[in-house]
Amino acid sequence: VTGIPDIAISPEVLDFGTAFTGGTVTDAVVITNSGTDVLTVTSLTTDNPVFDVDGSGFELEPGQSAVIEIAFSPLNPGTHNGTLTVLSDAVSGTAQVALEGNAVNPGLLSFDPDSFSFELSQGETGTAVLTLTNTGESDLQYTASTNMVFNQARSNGYTDDLDNNAERSVVSPLLNKNL
């Protein structure tokens, strides 16, 4: 009796969801030898350069599986599609997985003014306004904090979500420590 290697891949469609342009999201497929003899995978390739896979071959004993990571690294916004092709000696032939991903440009934080400073005498207080603006194309989550030193450090924090093209002003009182 001669064994026959066969291949099963899961999932059949790999959806990376939404990623930022210039970033990378990874996900994986599982290749299983569903046959009765050693499966020899000779290569793994993608037909779209935004999807990357290690193309090295490998062998799987019957019933054995391998997890194969695929990277989605879009440079331009929009919907990206591709195909992962797995060449092997499987009786069922070449195996393929549909690849899908969407890319958006990230949020971009700008602030005004670039910096500020105060000279305060003992007993005086001051207030500074820093305006944060998201000039990017996606929502942006940020954390702002202030650090002032007057013989003692103090830190106040503020966290918020900033929708694209939205603006916030963070008002932080300057502390005065009586000496």
Side-chain angles (χ1 to χ4, degrees):
V1 176
T2 302
I4 300 172
D6 207 356
I7 191 168
I9 300 181
S10 179
E12 294 177 4
V13 177
L14 188 59
D15 186 349
F16 289 87
T18 300
F20 289 129
T21 55
T24 298
V25 175
T26 59
D27 207 339
V29 296
V30 177
I31 298 176
T32 301
N33 181 354
S34 58
T36 56
D37 199 0
V38 174
L39 172 70
T40 301
V41 174
T42 54
S43 71
L44 299 102
T45 59
T46 64
D47 63 353
N48 184 334
V50 301
F51 300 104
D52 187 43
V53 63
D54 178 356
S56 301
F58 55 90
E59 290 186 346
L60 293 173
E61 294 293 326
Q64 189 178 23
S65 297
V67 176
I68 306 299
E69 284 198 0
I70 301 167
F72 173 49
S73 304
L75 297 177
N76 298 306
T79 300
H80 299 273
N81 295 298
T83 302
L84 169 69
T85 300
V86 181
L87 297 179
S88 71
D89 63 352
V91 67
S92 58
T94 301
Q96 294 186 322
V97 174
L99 306 173
E100 303 173 351
N102 187 47
V104 295
N105 289 325
L108 182 63
L109 183 63
S110 63
F111 47 94
D112 183 45
D114 291 344
S115 65
F116 44 81
S117 64
F118 292 91
E119 288 189 28
L120 300 173
S121 299
Q122 186 174 355
E124 292 181 327
T125 61
T127 301
V129 176
L130 174 65
T131 301
L132 305 175
T133 305
N134 181 359
T135 59
E137 296 180 24
S138 296
D139 291 351
L140 179 69
Q141 185 176 24
Y142 68 93
T143 300
S145 63
T146 59
N147 290 311
M148 284 93 35
V149 178
F150 295 96
N151 290 337
Q152 160 182 340
R154 177 167 169 124
S155 179
N156 295 321
Y158 180 80
T159 301
D160 193 13
D161 289 322
L162 192 59
D163 297 337
N164 63 317
N165 297 315
E167 185 174 289
R168 297 275 194 286
S169 291
V170 178
V171 179
S172 177
L174 294 178
L175 297 182
N176 182 37
K177 171 89 171 150
N178 289 327
L179 300 176

